Amino acid sequence: MSSIATIDIAPFLSQKSKLWKNDGIRSLMALESTPGIISLLAGRPNSSTFPFESITLKLKPTLAGLPPATAGADPFTLTIEGEDLNEALQYGMTPGAPRLLDWLTNFQTHVHKRVQDGSWKVNVGSGSQELIYRTCDSLMNDDDFLLIETPVYPGTLGFLAALPCTLIEVNADAQGLNPTHLETILSTWDTTHPGKRYPKALYTIPSGSNPTGASIPEARKIEVLKLAKKYNFLVLEDDAYAFLYYGPEGQQARSYFALEVEVNAEKGRVVRFDSFSKVVSSGMRLGYITAAPGICNAVALITTNTSLHTPSVTQVMAYKLLAGWGPEGFLAHCAGVAAFYRSRRDMFERVAHKHLSGLAEWATPVAGMFLYIRLRVQANNPDADTAELMRTKAVAKGVLAVPGTAFMPLRGPTPFVRISFSIIEEAEAEEACRRLREVILETRAEAEAAMRTT
Ligand SMILES: Cc1ncc(COP(=O)(O)O)c(C=O)c1O
C-alpha cells in the first residue's frame, strides 16, 4: 500500500500569521480541565451575578417530519440551565466549546469518512465568513497569488481586496469550476507570470454555488485535486450550501476533504468551511473549519487576539440541538431543508419559464438557493452586459436582482444576474418575472430602434 503523506503547512503561512502572539492567559486555559487542578487563571466574571436564570427554546417539528431534537420530558423544549447556562454565558475556549468540537469532529468523520488521526481538526467561528477571512489572512503574502472561482461569492471579494495578494480568475460554468481552465492557467504560469511563485491556494464553492447555483461533479473535483498536488496549492473548499443538495439521490459528489486521501494519497491540502447559516440559523453566526492543525491554529491565533472566541450562547444552543439529533438526525433535518428549497426552485423555474422563455437562460441547480440567469437583452448578442440595466431600468420597474458583475473579481462585464428563490412566494415571483420580461423587451426594442437609426 502506498504511504499517505501529510503536507507541511508551514511554507503556506503568511509572514503576518507568524507575528500574532498568544496572549499568555488563553494559551493556558486548556490546562484548566486537568483533573484536580485549581485555576486562578482567567478574569472571568462570576456568572452568579448575571441576570439570566435559564434559557428556554421552543422547538418546531423538523421539516423532515422527524421527532424533535431533545429527549427530555417535553421534547419540544430545549432548556439551558445550571452548568449549561454557566457555559453559555461565560467566556469560552478560542477554538470552540470542547463538546461542540467533539460532536463536529465525529460528524466530519461520519460524513467525509476521514479517520481522526491528528492530520485534521475542527474549530468553530462566528460564521464561515470569519473563518474564510482569517484563513486567507493567514496565508497571503505580498507576492502571493490566489486562484478564485469566477463568478464568486462577493463576500470574499471585499476582504480579498484588502489582502496583499493578486487574484487569478478561474472560470466556472454550469458544472462548477472548470479544471481545463485551471490547468491552462497553471501550465502556462511561467510564461504568463515569469519569475513569480505559483498560486498558493484556490478558493472554490463546490455545491450550489453562490452565485451560479452550480455543483461541481466528482470527476472534476478529482482533476482539481490532481492539479493541486502537481502545482502545490491548497484547496479552500467553501461548502456553505453542501447540505442544501436536492439532486438525484445518491449522486451528490463527495467533498474535496473526503477525496484528497484517495486521489492524492496525502492529507492537509484541503481546508474545508461549513456553515450552520443555511440549515439551522444565519443569525446564530456559527460556522466551522476542518483543516490541518497548522491552519486551524493560525486562524485561532487571530481569534484569540481579536474576538477571544465565538459566542458561547450560540455554541451551547447548537450543541444541545445537535446532541439531541445525533449525526443522522441532523442530516435528516438538512434533507428536509433541502427538499424545501427544491420545491422553491421548482416554483421559481415554473414561473420563470412562463414569463422569460426565449428571453433568458439558466442551468437548473441541484443544490442551493440561486438561479444564475443570462438575460438576452440583445437578440443577436447573448453576452451583452446587463449590469447597468439591472441598476436602472429594473429598479425603476420595481425588481431587484444582483447584477453579475458583483460576482466578477476583476469586475468584468457579464449578461448574468443572480436571483435568490429562498424566501420569495409564488405571487411575488410571478410579478418579479413579469417585470423582468418587460425590462428585457423594452431594452431589446430600444436596441433595435438604435440599430435602425445608425
Ligand atoms: C458561498 C458562501 N460562503 C460563505 C458565506 C458566509 O456564511 P456564514 O453565514 O456561515 O458566515 C456565504 C453566505 O451567504 C456564502 O454564500
Side-chain angles (χ1 to χ4, degrees):
M1 208 175 88
S2 66
S3 65
I4 311 282
T6 299
I7 72 159
D8 182 10
I9 290 299
F12 289 93
L13 295 175
S14 64
Q15 294 305 326
K16 186 179 166 195
S17 80
K18 293 167 192 155
L19 297 178
W20 293 103
K21 295 272 172 285
N22 261 314
D23 78 352
I25 300 174
R26 297 211 130 240
S27 48
L28 293 173
M29 276 169 72
L31 294 175
E32 290 185 311
S33 56
T34 311
I37 206 141
I38 297 172
S39 174
L40 307 175
L41 207 61
R44 293 190 184 88
N46 192 312
S47 55
S48 67
T49 64
F50 296 156
F52 304 100
E53 184 62 34
S54 70
I55 301 172
T56 304
L57 299 161
K58 290 288 185 190
L59 302 176
K60 299 191 280 202
T62 69
L63 284 170
L66 280 176
T70 58
D74 171 4
F76 286 93
T77 303
L78 199 156
T79 307
I80 299 172
E81 57 194 355
E83 271 311 300
D84 288 338
L85 185 71
N86 198 24
E87 182 184 346
L89 299 181
Q90 192 52 273
Y91 285 125
M93 307 291 282
T94 297
R99 55 186 180 161
L100 178 61
L101 294 184
D102 282 350
W103 195 96
L104 291 171
T105 306
N106 282 324
F107 182 66
Q108 296 299 60
T109 300
H110 180 80
V111 171
H112 304 283
K113 311 284 179 277
R114 288 282 302 261
V115 287
Q116 294 165 32
D117 57 2
S119 68
W120 58 275
K121 67 178 189 173
V122 178
N123 278 14
V124 298
S126 298
S128 58
Q129 178 80 17
E130 179 186 87
L131 295 165
I132 298 164
Y133 164 64
R134 289 179 181 171
T135 300
C136 291
D137 196 38
S138 303
L139 295 176
M140 293 298 146
N141 282 325
D142 262 346
D143 48 356
D144 280 338
F145 291 84
L146 175 70
L147 298 156
I148 186 155
E149 179 173 333
T150 301
V152 72
Y153 166 55
T156 55
L157 294 178
F159 68 69
L160 285 171
L163 287 182
C165 61
T166 305
L167 303 182
I168 304 289
E169 293 183 346
V170 187
N171 295 340
D173 54 28
Q175 301 280 290
L177 188 85
N178 183 337
T180 309
H181 187 220
L182 181 60
E183 180 156 33
T184 304
I185 291 169
L186 294 162
S187 62
T188 56
W189 189 260
D190 287 334
T191 317
T192 54
H193 297 82
K196 300 288 184 194
R197 187 188 157 146
Y198 276 66
K200 222 182 215 180
L202 163 73
Y203 170 79
T204 180
I205 308 166
S207 319
S209 165
N210 181 3
T212 65
S215 299
I216 184 172
E218 205 163 294
R220 279 193 176 191
K221 282 186 176 167
I222 291 169
E223 284 183 68
V224 172
L225 279 171
K226 287 184 178 160
L227 290 168
K229 183 171 185 182
K230 180 170 174 191
Y231 292 100
N232 194 26
F233 57 86
L234 302 179
V235 176
L236 311 183
E237 170 174 52
D238 175 2
D239 225 352
Y241 301 89
F243 296 109
L244 299 189
Y245 173 80
Y246 39 73
E249 213 178 312
Q251 287 184 33
Q252 184 173 15
R254 284 177 289 169
S255 67
Y256 283 108
F257 179 65
L259 287 166
E260 70 166 340
V261 179
E262 181 180 313
V263 173
N264 283 342
E266 63 177 12
K267 302 168 184 172
R269 196 174 287 287
V270 175
V271 179
R272 184 178 165 83
F273 303 95
D274 283 280
S275 172
F276 283 115
S277 290
K278 321 295 172 182
V279 286
V280 174
S281 156
S282 40
M284 279 170 70
R285 306 304 304 126
L286 214 48
Y288 46 109
I289 179 175
T290 308
I295 298 280
C296 290
N297 295 346
V299 169
L301 204 48
I302 302 178
T303 305
T304 212
N305 283 294
T306 52
S307 54
L308 303 184
H309 64 87
T310 307
S312 307
V313 175
T314 49
Q315 291 192 67
V316 172
M317 273 170 68
Y319 173 75
K320 299 281 280 183
L321 189 71
L322 295 168
W325 271 332
E328 286 301 339
F330 177 51
L331 289 172
H333 163 74
C334 294
V337 178
F340 171 89
Y341 286 112
R342 182 177 51 228
S343 68
R344 285 287 159 124
R345 176 205 64 184
D346 292 347
M347 174 278 286
F348 200 94
E349 282 203 300
R350 204 169 48 242
V351 169
H353 279 303
K354 183 170 146 195
H355 293 282
L356 299 174
S357 247
L359 301 175
E361 294 147 10
W362 63 90
T364 298
V366 294
M369 45 179 74
F370 304 110
L371 288 189
Y372 203 48
I373 302 187
R374 177 196 291 270
L375 302 184
R376 301 285 302 256
V377 289
Q378 290 176 20
N380 52 0
N381 179 10
D383 293 324
D385 185 42
T386 52
E388 187 54 23
L389 169 103
M390 291 310 294
R391 282 194 210 103
T392 54
K393 282 203 178 99
V395 175
K397 281 253 180 250
V399 58
L400 268 182
V402 189
T405 42
F407 307 103
M408 307 301 284
L410 307 180
R411 290 284 182 254
T414 160
F416 287 93
V417 299
R418 188 199 78 179
I419 72 96
S420 168
F421 52 78
S422 52
I423 56 175
I424 194 154
E425 301 296 338
E426 184 153 359
E428 281 192 310
E430 180 97 32
E431 183 55 21
C433 288
R434 198 190 60 71
R435 291 177 190 179
L436 262 184
R437 175 188 177 81
E438 280 180 11
V439 173
I440 299 170
L441 287 176
E442 281 173 21
T443 312
R444 279 188 173 203
E446 281 166 19
E448 277 159 28
M451 291 267 286
R452 276 197 299 276
T453 54
T454 51

